[in-house]
Amino acid sequence: MTDPADTATFAPADARPIRRKRIVIRAVFVCLWLAVGGLVVWQAGRIARDEVLADLTQAGRVALSLNAEALGAEIDKQRALPVVLARDPDALAVLRAPENGAARDRLNRKLEALARATRAAVIYLIDDHGLTLAASNWSSPVSFVGNDYGFRPYHAVAMAEGAAEHFAMGTVSHRPGMYLARRIDDDRGPAPRSGLGVMVVKIEFDRLEAIWAGAPERIFATDARGVVLVSGIAGWRFQSLAPLPEETRAAIRAGLQYGDAPLTPLPFSPGTDDGRLVSVDGTGMLHQSLTMPEIGWTLHLMTPADQAVRRAVADARALAGAGIALLATLAAAGLYRRQQLQGRAAHAAHERQRLEAAVAGRTADLARAYAALEAEMEERRQAEAAARRLQDDLIQAGRLAVLGRIAASVAHEINQPVAAIRAFADNARAFLDRGRADAALANLSRIAELTARIGTITGQLRGFARKAGTAPTPVRVTEAIDGALLLLGHRIRAGGIDLVRDIPADIAGARVVAERVRLEQVLVNLIGNAVDAVDGRPAPRITIRLSRSRADDGASRLGLQVSDNGPGLAPDIREALFLPFRTTKPDGLGLGLVISADLVREMGGTLSACSPDTDGAGATFIIELPEAG
Ligand code: ADP
């Protein structure tokens, strides 16, 4: 599952049906969860209820048997009393002679003392007709003495069978109790006789009932017909478990067994099943019973179960509910976390895609920029190559221009030896004609010398005109000076110029790394300009000076000065000396100094000029170059 917001972002067209489907699934899930949760809570309540009831049943069973024990003990305790008293001589004496007042009095007191000692309610003696002869309560206002109990079933039964036990309401005391009767036989007297009378002990259950009344449970005992005889709740006495048939009730009432009790049914119907919940006064009670065969009674126990059951059920339901809620919370939290993670993952994937697209776009931009740069660099390379070619052409043009200017001078320089050669050749022929071979040989030698000189000049010219292209090599500065002077020699001589070479002996062999032709071209330019400058000046002089200096980094540098005593640099030329096409000469090009400065810079040096502001102080051009090691 993905977050709805994310879905909307990534797939807007599909978002609505997917969202609706998800809502339906969630609703079904919640309903299912609620149903299962409700079932679990309900079931937990049921289990708790059953458990509480089982516990109460167990406890009830124990309480029932204990109380049955107590009830049985209460009766058992008194059972022996009528048996013993049936053989009492005083009782026999009274039966034998009822008119004997002293004997009756003695028996009365004896029974009174016994009743007090045994806590029997009443002990009394009835004769065979039912008349009470003596009683433990003889002295009380409710004395039984003189009462006729012949109608009581226990009298008839005891007389007939020897013993009887009978529960009934007292006709005088109006207190219910158990009557234990025993027939008295005279088997030792002079005239043995059976059935003289009946000794009766009445047991009342007040104490037991008081204890039962104090118990949280409701405890009562019923007879075989279901009539309550002994009960912790006074109001229930002589009420029946189930409605009694009218004739039964009439018979009981006629026998005065339970006095005038209406024998109505109890306000609840426990039925016969044990362990049933019965509503008593609006309270649910657990009903349990135990039959007591020896007396034919049934003991009933009603344990209040409502509160315990309600509390246990509520606790169990609360616990189950809390568990379900906790589970639901955990599940919801897990689901939420999962959704969050998925949402985050989707977002991260989206971000990654966006980043990748951005990187791809940027890479493409860079590739384009790189290609453009490459193209630009190539263009620049071509432009540089073109510029270099142009510069080379320019240098060559400058050189040819210089050549043009010196051509006349050179032609003159060559003409002279050629004319001399011709003269020497004529002379040699004349000497040979005259047979003076030695003189002819001397002339021929001169011719050879002159030819060599011409060769030198033409060689220099050819070299100067040749386009440069050789690699720079260490070149002696003096050789370059000589080369330049060779080309300009005629002009210097023709101008009557005083050429001063100021070259100290220790640096005469100093060298610089350069193309010789180019260094010569620079010198031809500078010396040529000097020759132009001193043309027509008085005492023209050109000085070529070589010096050595040390740079700051310790490297050795050579300084080559070309000075003249011409007019010096014109003011407007001084401002833009190394700019092209600045010339003061009618046939000048204004390229010589530009090209020279360029060539010196290529050799790793500098070309500068100085010219004092006074006319005739001349101009000085200085070439500075690193000395070759
Ligand atoms: P061009 O010689 O063709 O005029 P250059 O570049 O060699 O071209 O020289 C430019 C100008 O510099 C010259 O016309 C001249 O006015 C001036 N100049 C160069 N050298 C000297 C010098 N030694 N004395 C005076 N002026 C000079």
Side-chain angles (χ1 to χ4, degrees):
M1 263 191 271
T2 50
D3 191 81
D6 290 339
T7 316
T9 312
F10 301 136
D14 301 344
R16 212 172 296 161
I18 287 177
R19 203 175 305 153
R20 200 174 306 136
K21 195 175 157 198
R22 191 171 303 142
I23 288 171
V24 169
I25 289 174
R26 280 185 190 171
V28 168
F29 185 71
V30 167
C31 287
L32 217 70
W33 188 272
L34 282 176
V36 170
L39 205 72
V40 168
V41 168
W42 180 78
Q43 189 62 24
R46 260 187 60 121
I47 292 170
R49 180 179 178 278
D50 290 352
E51 267 187 15
V52 167
L53 286 181
D55 288 351
L56 288 178
T57 306
Q58 182 64 29
R61 229 171 265 140
V62 174
L64 258 184
S65 58
L66 284 175
N67 282 294
E69 198 70 29
L71 179 60
E74 195 72 28
I75 298 168
D76 278 350
K77 194 171 69 185
Q78 308 291 2
R79 270 209 182 105
L81 207 53
V83 176
V84 174
L85 284 174
R87 309 187 76 82
D88 185 78
D90 288 335
L92 270 172
V94 169
L95 284 175
R96 280 190 200 124
E99 66 288 348
N100 184 344
R104 284 173 61 175
D105 188 50
R106 198 165 49 248
L107 184 61
N108 276 339
R109 289 178 193 283
K110 188 174 188 174
L111 294 180
E112 185 181 14
L114 264 174
R116 198 177 304 124
T118 58
R119 281 212 297 248
V122 199
I123 307 173
Y124 53 105
L125 176 70
I126 313 173
D127 68 7
D128 53 348
H129 298 295
L131 185 71
T132 307
L133 300 178
S136 60
N137 59 359
W138 62 278
S139 57
S140 82
V142 290
S143 165
F144 285 7
V145 179
N147 287 350
D148 183 1
Y149 292 117
F151 67 96
R152 287 291 200 191
Y154 60 79
H155 180 256
V157 173
M159 284 298 284
E161 298 176 11
E165 289 183 0
H166 187 59
F167 192 92
M169 175 82 100
T171 45
V172 178
S173 65
H174 295 288
R175 291 161 65 91
M178 171 82 113
Y179 296 85
L180 306 175
R182 193 87 190 179
R183 189 181 64 199
I184 300 174
D185 297 329
D186 182 8
D187 47 1
R188 283 177 293 170
R193 207 181 115 208
S194 170
L196 282 181
V198 175
M199 181 60 80
V200 184
V201 175
K202 182 185 179 190
I203 314 164
E204 287 179 0
F205 299 96
D206 307 30
R207 279 185 53 244
L208 199 61
E209 282 184 333
I211 292 169
W212 286 359
E217 299 88 1
R218 303 194 177 180
I219 311 170
F220 59 95
T222 54
D223 66 8
R225 289 166 301 200
V227 178
V228 178
L229 302 181
V230 185
S231 168
I233 294 111
W236 289 4
R237 191 176 300 121
F238 302 133
Q239 291 196 322
S240 56
L241 290 175
L244 292 174
E246 185 48 45
E247 55 270 27
T248 312
R249 286 163 60 194
I252 293 171
R253 248 187 253 119
L256 283 178
Q257 186 181 359
Y258 303 142
D260 55 358
L263 301 172
T264 47
L266 283 165
F268 58 90
S269 173
T272 47
D273 304 353
D274 254 14
R276 263 190 63 216
L277 270 188
V278 177
S279 174
V280 182
D281 303 334
T283 308
M285 291 193 150
L286 179 73
H287 173 245
Q288 287 172 280
S289 60
L290 182 71
T291 51
M292 299 175 68
E294 66 276 16
I295 50 172
W297 290 8
T298 302
L299 190 65
H300 299 264
L301 184 81
M302 313 274 296
T303 312
D306 252 8
Q307 220 177 344
V309 167
R310 215 176 300 130
R311 200 179 315 123
V313 167
D315 284 356
R317 283 187 180 158
L319 202 69
I324 295 279
L326 187 72
L327 270 180
T329 309
L330 284 177
L335 228 61
Y336 176 74
R337 174 117 186 86
R338 199 169 142 226
Q339 274 184 10
Q340 285 246 315
L341 285 177
Q342 279 173 341
R344 231 174 278 160
H347 183 70
H350 176 66
E351 254 323 274
R352 200 168 50 242
Q353 276 176 5
R354 204 178 58 75
L355 269 177
E356 279 171 8
V359 167
R362 192 92 189 89
T363 309
D365 283 354
L366 280 175
R368 270 196 298 279
Y370 182 71
L373 202 66
E374 283 267 274
E376 205 174 296
M377 276 165 68
E378 180 56 31
E379 234 169 67
R380 180 162 297 178
R381 266 198 297 276
Q382 284 176 2
E384 274 173 3
R388 184 164 291 281
R389 274 198 304 278
L390 203 64
Q391 193 195 32
D392 283 352
D393 291 349
L394 206 58
I395 291 168
Q396 184 65 5
R399 194 178 294 135
L400 292 177
V402 171
L403 264 184
R405 295 238 295 277
I406 62 176
S409 155
V410 171
H412 188 266
E413 194 85 344
I414 293 170
N415 275 348
Q416 242 190 351
V418 168
I421 287 169
R422 191 189 175 103
F424 281 123
D426 288 345
N427 285 347
R429 195 188 303 129
F431 281 129
L432 283 176
D433 286 345
R434 282 184 227 154
R436 289 189 50 192
D438 53 332
L441 204 61
N443 275 354
L444 286 175
S445 301
R446 291 301 306 276
I447 287 172
E449 277 171 25
L450 287 169
T451 323
R453 175 159 175 74
I454 291 170
T456 309
I457 293 170
T458 52
Q460 185 69 29
L461 256 186
R462 196 170 56 244
F464 190 75
R466 197 176 56 222
K467 220 173 168 179
T470 55
T473 49
V475 179
R476 275 188 175 206
V477 180
T478 47
E479 277 178 12
I481 294 170
D482 289 343
L485 288 177
L486 193 63
L487 292 175
L488 295 169
H490 173 71
R491 286 188 66 201
I492 291 169
R493 281 191 302 278
I497 298 166
D498 178 15
L499 182 74
V500 181
R501 285 173 65 122
D502 179 6
I503 296 174
D506 61 322
I507 53 171
R511 295 182 301 174
V512 293
V513 177
E515 279 182 62
R516 183 180 166 163
V517 176
R518 292 193 162 181
L519 186 55
E520 273 178 16
Q521 183 175 351
V522 173
L523 287 172
V524 167
N525 268 332
L526 297 182
I527 298 168
N529 278 346
V531 170
D532 288 342
V534 298
D535 186 29
R537 303 286 295 183
R541 189 178 67 246
I542 294 174
T543 308
I544 297 171
R545 182 173 291 128
L546 186 63
S547 62
R548 179 187 272 153
S549 64
R550 292 253 163 225
D552 291 343
D553 59 357
S556 179
R557 292 181 78 81
L558 294 176
L560 182 57
Q561 283 184 20
V562 178
S563 316
D564 62 67
N565 58 352
L569 296 170
D572 55 330
I573 289 291
R574 194 180 303 189
E575 300 303 316
L577 198 58
F578 296 104
L579 292 180
F581 310 116
R582 299 295 171 102
T583 179
T584 52
K585 300 170 194 169
D587 58 343
L589 281 175
L591 284 174
L593 286 179
V594 182
I595 292 168
S596 298
D598 219 26
L599 290 173
V600 173
R601 205 176 305 123
E602 269 191 8
M603 294 169 205
T606 55
L607 173 62
S608 56
C610 69
S611 175
D613 220 359
T614 46
D615 185 47
T620 300
F621 286 83
I622 306 137
I623 302 169
E624 270 202 297
L625 283 168
E627 185 177 359

